[in-house]
Amino acid sequence: MTAPRAGKPAASRAGTPAAQRGQATAPGERLGLRSDWDYALHLPLHYVDETRITPITALREAQVAVVQARVVQAELMPARRRVLRVLVEDSGGRLELRFFHFYPSWTRQFAPQRELRIRGEARRGLFGFEMVHPVCHAAGAHADLPDSLTPIYPAGAGISQSWLRKAVAAALARLDMREWLPAALLARLDLPPIGQALRLLHAPPPQVSIEQLEDRRHPAWRRVKFDELLAQQLAQQLARARRAEQRAWPLARQPDGLVGRLLRALPFELTADQAACVAEIASDLEREQPMHRLLQGDVGSGKTVVAALAAAQAIDNGLQCALMAPTDILAAQHLRRLAEWLQPLGVGVAWLRGSQTRREREAELARAASGEAALVVGTHAVIQDKVRFARLGLAVVDEQHRFGVAQRLSLRAKGAGEQRQPHLLMMTATPIPRTLAMAVFGDLDISTIAHSPPGRQPVRTRVFSGQRRDAVMQRVRELVLAGRQAYWVCPLIEAPAEPNDGPGGHAELRDALATHAELQALMGEQAGCVGLLHGRMPAGRKAEVMGDFAAGKLRLLVATTVIEVGVDVPSASLMVIEHAERFGLSQLHQLRGRVGRGSEAAQCLLLFSEPLSATARARLQAMHQTSDGFVLAQKDLELRGPGELLGQRQSGLQGLRHADLRDDQDLLELAREAAAELLREHPQAAREHLQRWLGGGMDWLAA
Ligand code: ADP
Ligand code: MG
């Protein structure tokens, strides 16, 4: 059978406990479990060995064990906090059970002489071993013991382990677990059949090492993780094949055209890395297959000019280029820069953004639709329904991880006229470690700007306790008065109206509005040079403030993370980040990338507040030690795992529930090779595998 992914839950049709109790929604749905296959893949986090009884005398510290014992006495201790103490014994020794939460009736259940089976973690107490809140039930000494390890599942409110165990067992019994992958492949990779692997994981024989299971190193786990990665790799390779069948306008290189003129007009020479990326993109664009390329380069590495040259190549061929950026500020900046470069060369530019008067917008739309604007720059507004292009040849998405798959798809669809897709160039300043890139973008070509343009000075980064905030403010004042331009970054716009002042509560966060006022007061007569920028300001006002800062009218800009992405004011050389412990590593790196863009030596001051978690400490340390975005990205991967690194919108990773790219890089490589082999030699098995793992949810593949 195949596993339905949506619609009426198969489990309740087939009579799980929920259905028997006649409930409207199966509790499993709250865990996202619908099909039998979902249940089969709801794998235990932990296991408990209840297959044998441990004599009390043989208990070990911190061991979870099952004990068979008789109640000696139960007493309520009239302490400040009431405690129920139950003393039990077996033939060899005594054990104390303690309960801090209990019902009065429990004292009766622990009547003397009662035979109990007790499961709990043994702790050495004052008078021998004790167990706090063990699981107890009445059972005679000869009552059956389970013959497999007891799984402990991820559960949720109101969902009991015993319900889950039954539901999973029922699902496993119904599922057709015939193997679909070729036996030779499994033998070569030393992986067990899927049915065997899943049955083992849900009910391991007692001799299996719990440690291996919980570390997910057991071969059964490897099989599940391999299968998951295989599904992902298959999907990506298929998507790639599908794309190869699509047609794009081939965009020939014309050395005497716009590309050449733009190169000659630039105020700088391309770096070797930039030139290599330009060449890779140019040869993609010449092909009749749509380009699908990611341009990655650290903040400030100079990706924009590479995009501009790609746009010029499209325009040289009479086609249009659309450029989409995630924020108004960034879109405005691209517009300014690209217009500065391209308009003098006779290129018409249109500008689309969320907050535009209707008339402005209609005019820009008309210019895009007629082809008068060869370059269309904007935010999400670029992908709205009303936007039509005369002949879209190239779509550029900046900071692509900020966009969802659906948004990238709609941009591509804009060119679908005449059966041609636009070439797609995505750009990111969040450099992605190779393994991760392979997992997420297996179907993507990657160009990398590894080294930033010469002459940049590394940003000196120092970390201070928030207790030294006043001193830092004074220092910033001096530097600004001495002519430096600085950003002061705060995590919030304003303190919430209702203070939530627990430790770490938001009331403690320095807010941009208050900090702005504070810094203005501090600057005295120079208060006018302190600006404020945050996400809730109208777009026009934001652009105005950015413009004043770029022009040097504002010298100190208090900002929220709206400046995180792409903002380029080369004269700014100082940045303070408050509550740096609250930011992720890539976000800190992005923020810091706003300075050190000019020739002046730049500084970044990170202020943190206690308590500082171990991870936060490691992040701040990494920021202090390196400014290499690739090193930081790798570090981020280690600290956080890949899910967050790319933002939760990054599909494909959402799918990875079992494999962990930190631990399973070897499996990823194997899955990649196996996927190619299956598609070539066993297409039926490949189809079945995809059907199992992805069901209908394959839309993201096309993006
Ligand atoms: P990012 O990769 O972060 O988008 P930008 O494209 O904004 O970086 O470039 C950062 C700055 O470096 C810009 O001011 C840009 O004009 C400048 N720049 C780009 N390429 C070069 C180069 N080859 N030599 C000197 N400056 C460059
Ligand atoms: Mg940029």
Side-chain angles (χ1 to χ4, degrees):
M1 70 168 281
T2 54
R5 300 288 297 188
K8 198 165 158 39
S12 61
R13 264 201 310 270
T16 55
Q20 284 153 17
R21 287 201 305 274
Q23 289 185 355
T25 50
E29 289 230 16
R30 275 179 266 152
L31 297 173
L33 306 178
R34 291 180 190 85
S35 67
D36 285 341
W37 182 244
D38 292 339
Y39 279 89
L41 286 180
H42 191 66
L43 295 173
L45 284 176
H46 301 292
Y47 298 87
V48 184
D49 187 352
E50 295 181 301
T51 61
R52 52 204 161 85
I53 303 284
T54 305
I56 290 174
T57 49
L59 286 175
R60 278 180 289 119
E61 172 73 11
Q63 177 195 16
V64 175
V66 178
V67 166
Q68 177 75 31
R70 252 178 338 275
V71 176
V72 179
Q73 63 174 29
E75 57 178 342
L76 262 174
M77 304 301 291
R80 199 162 68 96
R81 219 173 129 215
R82 292 197 322 161
V83 182
L84 172 62
R85 273 175 45 175
V86 182
L87 190 64
V88 299
E89 66 177 5
D90 65 8
S91 57
R94 287 188 165 190
L95 172 70
E96 186 174 292
L97 316 180
R98 288 172 189 242
F99 301 88
F100 298 101
H101 313 282
F102 54 91
Y103 293 105
S105 63
W106 284 21
T107 44
R108 262 174 284 133
Q109 299 195 359
F110 291 119
Q113 295 307 317
R114 201 135 199 219
E115 279 279 345
L116 298 178
R117 194 154 287 169
I118 302 154
R119 187 188 81 215
E121 188 177 329
R123 288 277 171 205
R124 206 175 284 284
L126 272 182
F127 311 101
F129 276 110
E130 54 186 41
M131 286 181 178
V132 175
H133 279 272
V135 179
C136 304
H137 60 269
H142 300 290
D144 281 349
L145 287 164
D147 48 19
S148 56
L149 300 177
T150 309
I152 310 290
Y153 291 102
I159 300 175
S160 75
Q161 290 293 330
S162 61
W163 185 87
L164 265 172
R165 269 172 222 149
K166 279 184 208 139
V168 169
L172 285 176
R174 279 190 300 266
L175 267 178
D176 174 4
M177 299 258 249
R178 261 172 305 177
E179 183 59 58
W180 58 85
L181 292 184
L185 174 72
L186 295 177
R188 199 172 71 226
L189 301 179
D190 209 7
L191 294 170
I194 188 70
Q196 188 184 319
L198 288 173
R199 273 188 293 269
L200 183 137
L201 292 175
H202 288 291
Q207 67 274 15
V208 172
S209 148
I210 291 188
E211 203 192 337
Q212 257 203 357
L213 290 172
E214 293 186 349
D215 285 356
R216 307 190 166 190
R217 282 180 291 120
H218 191 279
W221 258 112
R222 283 179 63 82
R223 170 68 204 258
V224 171
K225 298 200 276 194
F226 172 81
D227 277 25
E228 181 175 49
L229 292 166
L230 178 64
Q232 195 204 33
Q233 293 299 316
L234 279 172
Q236 286 176 346
Q237 292 180 22
L238 279 176
R240 191 188 187 95
R242 208 177 312 152
R243 218 178 350 264
E245 287 163 15
Q246 287 162 350
R247 291 284 162 271
W249 297 108
L251 308 171
R253 273 185 266 206
Q254 298 173 11
D256 300 328
L258 192 56
V259 174
R261 282 188 285 147
L262 174 55
L263 274 173
R264 283 190 292 278
L266 285 175
F268 48 73
E269 293 269 306
L270 294 185
T271 62
D273 284 353
Q274 282 173 320
C277 291
V278 168
E280 282 167 357
I281 292 167
S283 78
D284 278 3
L285 293 178
E286 282 189 320
R287 290 156 47 98
E288 216 177 336
Q289 273 83 47
M291 172 171 75
H292 197 61
R293 186 172 283 276
L294 179 71
L295 172 62
Q296 60 174 12
D298 208 346
V299 287
S301 61
K303 295 183 291 295
T304 315
V305 69
V306 176
L309 287 162
Q313 189 169 336
I315 298 166
D316 267 339
N317 286 272
L319 284 127
Q320 289 168 295
C321 171
L323 189 152
M324 181 162 77
T327 65
D328 261 344
I329 292 182
L330 191 52
Q333 185 178 288
H334 278 309
L335 180 78
R336 218 181 311 126
R337 184 99 58 75
L338 295 174
E340 193 180 294
W341 285 335
L342 292 170
Q343 258 170 351
L345 304 178
V347 175
V349 181
W351 163 229
L352 291 170
R353 61 194 169 99
S355 48
Q356 227 165 3
T357 67
R358 208 167 132 204
R359 265 184 67 183
E360 266 177 313
R361 196 178 168 70
E362 302 273 300
E364 301 294 288
L365 284 174
R367 281 153 46 73
S370 70
E372 184 192 333
L375 179 65
V376 180
V377 179
T379 55
H380 301 78
V382 171
I383 49 171
Q384 274 152 13
D385 280 349
K386 283 206 188 131
V387 184
R388 298 266 178 279
F389 292 89
R391 272 177 112 207
L392 184 60
L394 170 67
V396 181
V397 182
D398 195 13
E399 302 298 341
Q400 63 85 27
H401 60 288
R402 295 292 183 107
F403 292 99
V405 167
Q407 291 168 318
R408 290 205 301 257
L409 276 180
S410 357
L411 189 52
R412 291 248 308 263
K414 295 285 178 200
E418 303 176 56
Q419 307 297 318
R420 304 278 176 160
Q421 297 253 337
H423 296 280
L424 182 61
L425 176 64
M426 294 172 263
M427 305 200 287
T428 183
T430 305
I432 301 162
R434 203 187 86 83
T435 39
L436 192 52
M438 202 168 108
V440 187
F441 304 119
D443 65 325
L444 197 66
D445 298 303
I446 298 183
S447 293
T448 304
I449 305 180
H451 304 285
S452 295
R456 301 271 167 81
Q457 311 228 21
V459 182
R460 185 149 160 257
T461 301
R462 296 200 294 166
V463 182
F464 292 99
S465 156
Q467 287 168 350
R468 298 184 55 195
R469 184 169 185 264
D470 288 343
V472 169
M473 278 202 162
Q474 283 298 341
R475 182 78 188 126
V476 168
R477 173 174 180 271
E478 284 161 26
L479 288 171
V480 168
L481 290 178
R484 295 265 224 136
Q485 249 186 314
Y487 297 98
W488 187 290
V489 182
C490 304
L492 277 188
I493 299 174
E494 58 188 334
E498 279 177 37
N500 152 25
D501 45 18
H506 280 198
E508 291 182 354
L509 290 184
R510 299 285 168 197
D511 56 283
L513 296 182
T515 306
H516 177 239
E518 248 177 297
L519 285 168
Q520 275 191 322
L522 187 73
M523 295 302 289
E525 286 183 2
Q526 302 290 318
C529 77
V530 186
L532 175 66
L533 186 74
H534 62 72
R536 283 198 226 145
M537 286 169 24
R541 181 79 192 113
K542 274 191 270 190
E544 209 175 301
V545 171
M546 270 326 289
D548 285 351
F549 189 63
K553 272 192 249 165
L554 293 172
R555 317 270 334 148
L556 177 52
L557 186 62
V558 178
T560 57
T561 52
V562 291
I563 61 149
E564 176 187 342
V565 189
V567 167
D568 184 34
V569 179
S571 52
S573 63
L574 174 63
M575 170 169 287
V576 180
I577 303 177
E578 286 205 71
H579 284 288
E581 80 281 0
R582 307 232 161 196
F583 294 98
L585 198 45
S586 67
Q587 207 178 5
L588 287 172
H589 180 61
Q590 284 274 344
L591 283 167
R592 181 173 60 181
R594 301 311 108 218
V595 295
R597 308 190 137 230
S599 48
E600 204 172 357
Q603 285 188 64
C604 177
L605 309 180
L606 302 175
L607 286 173
F608 68 88
S609 300
E610 306 279 2
L612 200 55
S613 71
T615 325
R617 184 178 302 277
R619 284 199 298 262
L620 297 182
Q621 202 170 12
M623 285 294 291
H624 170 67
Q625 283 166 348
T626 184
S627 52
D628 182 326
F630 285 86
V631 174
L632 288 171
Q634 188 64 47
K635 188 88 199 156
D636 211 18
L637 181 63
E638 285 159 26
L639 289 174
R640 292 199 300 174
E644 287 174 75
L645 186 53
L646 292 157
Q648 72 277 48
R649 279 173 161 178
Q650 198 67 64
S651 301
L653 269 191
Q654 289 166 340
L656 281 189
R657 286 167 47 213
H658 305 293
D660 180 333
L661 295 177
R662 283 169 294 187
D663 300 339
D664 302 322
Q665 308 195 354
D666 63 322
L667 280 176
L668 178 61
E669 302 270 357
L670 295 176
R672 188 172 164 84
E673 287 159 21
E677 181 184 320
L678 281 186
L679 287 174
R680 220 171 34 238
E681 289 161 29
H682 306 276
Q684 178 54 36
R687 235 190 320 277
E688 191 159 351
H689 191 78
L690 277 171
Q691 181 59 41
R692 274 283 169 159
W693 277 86
L694 299 179
M698 286 173 60
D699 290 347
W700 60 271
L701 292 177

